Every structure is written in C-alpha cells, then in structure tokens.
Amino acid sequence: EQEYTKSLQQISHHTPEYVARLRDEAKLVVLLTKGHTYYQREGLADEAAALAQLRIEHLYYRHDTVAKQVDKAAEFYEQYGEVDMLHPACVSDQKGGTDYTKFHPAASSGKPTMADESATETTNWSDLINSLCTYVYQNGNDTARTRATICHVFHHALHDRFLEARDLLLMSHLQDTIYDSGDISTMILFNRMMVTLGMCAFRQGRIWDAHQCLTEVCSGRARELLAQGVSMGRFSDKTPEQEKAERRRQVPYHQHINLDLLEGCHLISAMLLEIPNMAAASVGDSGNTRRARPISRTFRKYHDMYDHQVFTGPPEQTRDYVMRASKALMTGDWKSCVELCTQLE
C-alpha cells in the first residue's frame, strides 16, 4: 500500500501512466478486503483493524457515483483490456447477425459486458464505510480510531450529510485533541475533512457554519495545510530532511481539493457575513466602529487592499470577483453581486 502511494506521488498526473496506475487501486482494495477477512476469521483483531483502516483510506474520498464507475472500469479492464484495443464492430451498440458475409464476426455477440454487474451496482458504499469504521472503533488503536473518525466525517460531508458529519465530529471531540496527536499526516487529513465539511455547509446554504469550518485553513497557507504542494520560497528555513518528509506526505493528485473552489466558498461566505457587519458598524455612535468585532479578518484585509488600489481592472481571479461583488453588495446592487458570484462557476 505504501509503494502504491509512492508511485502515485512520483508519476506526473498529466501522463496516461498515472491513469493506468489508478486502476491498480481496485486490486489493492480487493487484496485488503481478503486480508481483513482472513485476520477476522483467525481472531486477530489488531491486524484486521489495521487492514480495515487502510481499506477505509482508499474508499472514503470517492463519491458513490464515482466509486461505481471506477470499479466497473477496473473490472472491464481486467477482463477485456483496453477499450481502445477492441475492434470497432465489437464496441458498437448494435448486435450483428450470424451471417458473416454481411456482419463482422466481432459484432456477433454485441458490445462486451461484465458477467456480473449487479455486485458493483448494488454496493452501498455508505453502509460499507460505516461498518468498516465501526470495526476500527471497536478494535483499532488510538491513531486508527482518530483517522477512521476523520474519514467517516469526510465521507458524510462529501455526500451532503452535514448534520450527521457535524454530530459525529462534535461527539468525537477531535477539534480539542487533534493537535496533541503529534502525527502530521493525521493533522493533514483533519484539515481536508474540515474544508470538505465547510463546502458541504456552503452547498446547503449554512453560511455561518461554512465560514467557521473554512476560516482556519483558508486564512493561512491552504496548499501546504492540505498537502497539495510544497513551498519553494527563497527564505524557507526548512532543512533538506524536512523537505523530503513534506514531499512524502503529499496527497496524490486524484485526491486533491480544488483550491479555487475552496477560496470562492470561503470568501463568499465571509462576504455575506462581513458586509452586513460593516454596514451595521458604519451607523454606530463613533466613527471607529468599522474596526470593531470583525467576523473575518482575512476578508477585511483583502477588502482594504482592494479599496486602496488606484486602478482596478476587470476581475480575473476568484478573489477579484468576490471583492467586486462585495462592492456591489455594499451599495445594495444585489443583482450585480449575484452575477459576479455566478461567474465563478
């Protein structure tokens, strides 16, 4: 499992080799399933929990619809090979006849299909993740239970089950104990879970909850906190050993979270909270009340920088669109604000 992760980190995600390597994940999950079943049958709970946790970490980040298609594609490749290598007459949806003077022999049996598609189609991934996490809760060590809880919350948030994810996070008290764990990879997984939970709240219109979940990660170096890049500054004080360790912790590309989407969710939620706060403070008794009780210091900083620009051109980046929308919202032009936020899509 570690060698598979290393190979994904070393292969460029722009090449077909990376896509070909992703097919091996289905084989790895099958192997982990067999190992988990064997140790469970032999009564070795610790080893079974360790393999269950590895299996969770290869399943939790996939949406149900994506998981079904990925497994079907992996099974199809295992049985028939590359689709590009099949004969065009075989791939067509039309089924040919037995008269080979009129029909190509490859089209006689029609398009290749899997022998048993029902297993992949009927798998309930939410129940599977829940059962695996429950097993780890009962038999795993402290680190495994913490990571299983984070993956469980992530999976709930990915499928827009915000209330279930929030309740599980609050009951686990992870926010109080995660920074005492000392495991950097677990902290990175926790950051990924928090931003996924924040975007889930944003999709459901829970603006305050979305801002609370996103503000801690998005206020700093989000790329490093999510292990989606390495800082290459000239004044970096990291030793070569620390840089190597940071590169080993990088998340494979297919698990990355869209940073532009993340920034858009954070700034829009901050705008919807901060602009009314600034408007209410501007009619206070003193002229300095604008600085009182800022909800989002990051948004205030970007807003002041945008105000102090001598010339503002057309918006190009996500931040520019949100700042222009905030200016429109401050004047009550909510239609322009909606149009600018919609253009981020």
Side-chain angles (χ1 to χ4, degrees):
E1 192 271 341
Q2 292 177 354
E3 293 298 327
Y4 171 75
T5 304
K6 290 180 183 178
S7 66
L8 290 178
Q9 292 173 343
Q10 297 297 326
I11 299 173
S12 174
H13 57 270
H14 297 291
T15 60
E17 185 182 0
Y18 188 90
V19 180
R21 175 60 64 188
L22 284 178
R23 297 195 187 103
D24 296 334
E25 187 170 30
K27 300 178 183 178
L28 180 60
V29 171
V30 171
L31 184 60
L32 291 171
T33 303
K34 293 180 179 179
H36 171 69
T37 304
Y38 169 76
Y39 284 123
Q40 196 173 8
R41 186 174 65 247
E42 295 295 324
L44 302 174
D46 295 339
E47 289 80 358
L51 291 184
Q53 176 57 32
L54 288 178
R55 189 180 174 192
I56 291 169
E57 295 190 10
H58 285 280
L59 296 175
Y60 78 97
Y61 66 90
R62 302 192 299 180
H63 198 275
D64 288 352
T65 55
V66 176
K68 292 179 181 179
Q69 296 301 322
V70 168
D71 287 350
K72 286 176 62 176
E75 292 176 6
F76 187 91
Y77 174 78
E78 186 70 20
Q79 185 169 352
Y80 296 104
E82 290 282 358
V83 178
D84 297 339
M85 301 300 293
L86 297 176
H87 196 279
C90 176
V91 180
S92 63
D93 294 331
Q94 295 181 357
K95 185 176 181 179
T98 56
D99 187 2
Y100 296 148
T101 60
K102 298 181 180 179
F103 302 99
H104 195 280
S108 60
S109 59
K111 189 175 182 179
T113 57
M114 301 303 300
D116 184 16
E117 294 187 357
S118 59
T120 303
E121 291 290 340
T122 58
T123 301
N124 191 325
W125 299 100
S126 298
D127 291 344
L128 177 61
I129 293 291
N130 184 49
S131 62
L132 290 173
C133 290
T134 302
Y135 187 85
V136 175
Y137 297 155
Q138 296 172 351
N139 302 284
N141 54 25
D142 293 339
T143 303
R145 285 196 294 268
T146 300
R147 296 182 69 88
T149 304
I150 295 173
C151 294
H152 204 177
V153 175
F154 189 106
H155 194 262
H156 279 312
L158 188 65
H159 292 81
D160 291 338
R161 296 190 290 267
F162 176 78
L163 296 179
E164 291 86 343
R166 183 197 62 184
D167 294 344
L168 180 59
L169 177 62
L170 294 177
M171 287 188 297
S172 63
H173 299 285
L174 275 177
Q175 293 172 301
D176 301 331
T177 60
I178 187 63
Y179 298 109
D180 297 332
S181 63
D183 186 7
I184 299 179
S185 62
T186 303
M187 296 181 188
I188 292 171
L189 188 62
F190 178 81
N191 293 335
R192 287 168 48 81
M193 178 269 295
M194 287 301 297
V195 298
T196 305
L197 184 62
M199 289 191 289
C200 170
F202 185 84
R203 288 192 296 268
Q204 296 187 357
R206 300 175 179 270
I207 303 301
W208 176 263
D209 294 327
H211 180 262
Q212 292 297 106
C213 293
L214 297 175
T215 185
E216 186 172 356
V217 175
C218 296
S219 298
R221 299 168 294 183
R223 187 183 300 274
E224 294 184 29
L225 293 176
L226 299 177
Q228 296 181 187
V230 181
S231 62
M232 302 297 292
R234 292 191 303 170
F235 304 102
S236 177
D237 56 352
K238 297 177 183 177
T239 63
E241 290 76 13
Q242 289 175 337
E243 291 185 0
K244 290 181 181 179
E246 188 174 355
R247 292 185 184 277
R248 286 194 295 267
R249 290 191 294 265
Q250 294 300 298
V251 177
Y253 180 76
H254 66 285
Q255 298 184 25
H256 281 195
I257 297 172
N258 192 328
L259 294 179
D260 288 335
L261 176 63
L262 179 61
E263 184 181 18
C265 294
H266 172 237
L267 291 180
I268 290 176
S269 60
M271 176 187 69
L272 295 176
L273 295 173
E274 190 63 50
I275 295 299
N277 183 43
M278 293 167 60
S282 64
V283 296
D285 295 333
S286 63
N288 197 27
T289 52
R290 179 183 178 278
R291 290 291 178 182
R293 298 177 56 251
I295 298 176
S296 175
R297 296 183 182 275
T298 304
F299 180 85
R300 286 283 185 99
K301 180 182 70 174
Y302 292 153
H303 189 270
D304 291 343
M305 291 170 56
Y306 191 81
D307 274 346
H308 293 158
Q309 289 180 358
V310 178
F311 173 76
T312 56
E316 297 179 356
Q317 299 178 351
T318 302
R319 187 186 305 171
D320 299 335
Y321 278 98
V322 178
M323 292 301 106
R324 181 66 66 86
S326 65
K327 298 290 289 184
L329 188 60
M330 290 186 71
T331 60
D333 189 3
W334 59 270
K335 290 185 178 180
S336 299
C337 177
V338 172
E339 292 176 359
L340 287 166
C341 293
T342 306
Q343 291 178 15
L344 293 175
E345 300 177 0

